[in-house]
Amino acid sequence: MSLQAKLDAFKADFEAGKPPYKVPYSVIEVMHRATAELVASGAAERALKAGDKAPSFTLNDPDGTPVSSADLLAKGPLVVSFYRGVWCPYCNMELQALEAALPSFRELGASLIAISPQTAVNSRKSVRQNGLDFPILSDTHNDVAAKFGLRFALPDYLVELYQNLKNDLPGFNGDDSWTLPMPGRFVIGRDGMILYAEVNPDYTRRPEPEDMLPALRKASTVTV
């Protein structure tokens, strides 16, 4: 089953109010409103695209070790996935799909990292729960996400909903800004140029990991 098919199946059950979430439809309506407004804002169209230069960054892994994009690119192309956090079931399914595709990436000489605004403790939880063999990096305040054009502020009514649901983003992220990244996936060549970019303001939609393979094959034939 494709990643999107799994996400669609989960979404159907979630929005039908099935356990374990048992969410009332009034909550779903608020989430739909927020997604529709983010789509209409055009934010995704302003994010970095294929052909743009990727910003350099250094972020800490869950052990506090700095990980530099420049160091990774010195070894080969880089796959970067921005996600919302361990609390997001859609993100966890995406991380699992990326883990399944990791051998294909490594065969092409590529590294894979995932970036979220969450604290190191929650990044460790992401790694543990999803059985990951690639680094999760903490992007405090979504500063790197902002450089890629992904950061957005939650509207007040969605903040209120999250608070009512006990979805404590300030606690998860160690940051009271109530911002998140739009889910984004990038392939960066060794020269720092973005070869593939997929950004979707609808967090229930994610590209297939295999969609990146053509860009990675292209990147693996380029020397710098």
Side-chain angles (χ1 to χ4, degrees), residues 43-95:
E45 285 72 34
R46 295 188 290 273
L48 294 186
K49 298 175 176 60
D52 290 334
K53 184 79 171 180
S56 297
F57 57 86
T58 299
L59 295 171
N60 289 342
D61 71 10
D63 298 322
T65 302
V67 176
S68 161
S69 61
D71 289 346
L72 293 174
L73 288 170
K75 303 173 185 177
L78 178 60
V79 176
V80 182
S81 181
F82 288 87
Y83 76 104
R84 304 185 327 149
V86 69
W87 52 271
C88 170
Y90 298 93
C91 297
N92 291 324
M93 284 185 273
E94 179 184 24
L95 291 174

Side-chain angles (χ1 to χ4, degrees), residues 45-213:
E45 285 72 34
R46 295 188 290 273
L48 294 186
K49 298 175 176 60
D52 290 334
K53 184 79 171 180
S56 297
F57 57 86
T58 299
L59 295 171
N60 289 342
D61 71 10
D63 298 322
T65 302
V67 176
S68 161
S69 61
D71 289 346
L72 293 174
L73 288 170
K75 303 173 185 177
L78 178 60
V79 176
V80 182
S81 181
F82 288 87
Y83 76 104
R84 304 185 327 149
V86 69
W87 52 271
C88 170
Y90 298 93
C91 297
N92 291 324
M93 284 185 273
E94 179 184 24
L95 291 174
Q96 293 164 21
L98 288 169
E99 175 67 27
L102 185 56
S104 299
F105 301 158
R106 287 178 171 166
E107 284 177 8
L108 294 168
S111 301
L112 167 64
I113 58 173
I115 297 175
S116 85
Q118 66 194 0
T119 61
V121 169
N122 288 302
S123 290
R124 284 193 290 271
K125 187 175 180 182
S126 278
V127 170
R128 185 174 63 252
Q129 287 188 350
N130 295 299
L132 305 182
D133 191 34
F134 59 88
I136 301 290
L137 308 183
S138 293
D139 179 20
T140 307
H141 310 301
N142 284 296
D143 288 338
V144 174
K147 292 179 180 179
F148 279 80
L150 305 179
R151 182 174 66 188
F152 71 97
L154 275 65
D156 290 343
Y157 65 84
L158 190 59
V159 171
E160 182 180 359
L161 175 66
Y162 275 31
Q163 290 172 329
N164 290 339
L165 295 175
K166 310 301 182 186
N167 191 3
D168 179 20
L169 287 192
F172 278 115
N173 298 342
D175 169 33
D176 61 4
S177 68
W178 287 95
T179 63
L180 285 174
M182 290 181 288
R185 194 96 58 75
F186 300 87
V187 173
I188 305 172
R190 295 188 65 186
D191 60 357
M193 299 303 293
I194 297 173
L195 302 174
Y196 170 99
E198 179 67 34
V199 177
N200 201 319
D202 181 349
Y203 61 88
T204 70
R205 308 291 303 175
R206 311 289 170 105
E208 301 299 323
E210 294 76 15
D211 293 351
M212 294 181 291
L213 293 179

